[in-house]
Amino acid sequence: MRYVRFRDPAGAVRRGTWTDADEIRFGGERYTPDEVDVLAPSEPSKLVCVGLNYAGHAEELGKEPPDRPRLFFKPPNTVSSHGATVTLPDDKDRIEYEAELAVVIGEQCRNVDESEAMEIVEGYTCMNDLSNRDDQHVEQNYVRGKGFDGAAPLGPVVVGPDAVPDDAFVRTRVNGERKQDGSLSELIFSVPELIAEITAYITLEAGDVVSTGTPKGVGPLADGDEIEVEIEGIGTLQHSVRIP
């Protein structure tokens, strides 16, 4: 089942299903995706992200793979949705896409054992970890580099983890041209390992997001670009960007 948050034509926020027939259903009503506003699949209090979790991405950045997860935050203002147009910071030389598997947390949790980690997972969705490299490369906490408004497009749906193969592909297309083509089998730290490590330090709330890192192939974006992040078993997150 693919669950979707949306605003119906009357303005009410609903949680329905997105069918294989490309219909969104709730309470006996049926809508086409164009008839509603697709919303981000949750309203996280925080997004905990993982850097360099694919060896190929570490290599393309000239860095060694980490010996423990490298964690950073994206605040709630970064969340944007399927179909959104994200306004990028102006006067930057390089802002890049990063396709990522995002984990939506289902309940408040702390000190979760790795063997029990999947029990607190609501599901998986797609994320684009938009990254302002100009500032990321000169600051340690990534506030400007990762935390600008709209820098975490999420969606369009949440699916159960069982719907996503362990070797699912993770792809990015920019203006229809494939740029990233990785696999979840390449993750250095698995989803259970990440949840165990994060919750050893941080209480996660229902709706929070853990984003698991990006495969190799990251690259720059330009004004008007159309981006698609596709993960096997989930679907395709689509959004555009603009530079003021």
Side-chain angles (χ1 to χ4, degrees), residues 70-147:
R70 294 185 56 173
L71 306 178
F72 61 91
F73 287 115
K74 279 179 177 275
N77 65 288
T78 61
V79 174
S80 53
S81 60
H82 177 77
T85 298
V86 178
T87 300
L88 302 179
D90 199 6
D91 295 325
K92 304 299 178 184
D93 289 333
R94 196 172 183 92
I95 297 179
E96 297 188 336
Y97 53 82
E98 293 191 9
E100 305 201 2
L101 174 76
V103 181
V104 181
I105 301 301
E107 62 185 73
Q108 187 184 70
C109 57
R110 177 75 197 277
N111 289 322
V112 178
D113 189 86
E114 185 179 326
S115 65
E116 300 174 343
M118 299 308 296
E119 296 177 14
I120 57 89
V121 171
E122 178 183 345
Y124 290 164
T125 191
C126 303
M127 179 171 141
N128 188 3
D129 175 19
L130 292 169
S131 301
N132 160 21
R133 302 300 190 201
D134 291 36
D135 289 309
Q136 182 184 352
H137 290 159
V138 295
E139 62 183 8
Q140 292 185 339
N141 53 19
Y142 296 172
V143 170
R144 299 171 187 83
K146 298 282 193 173

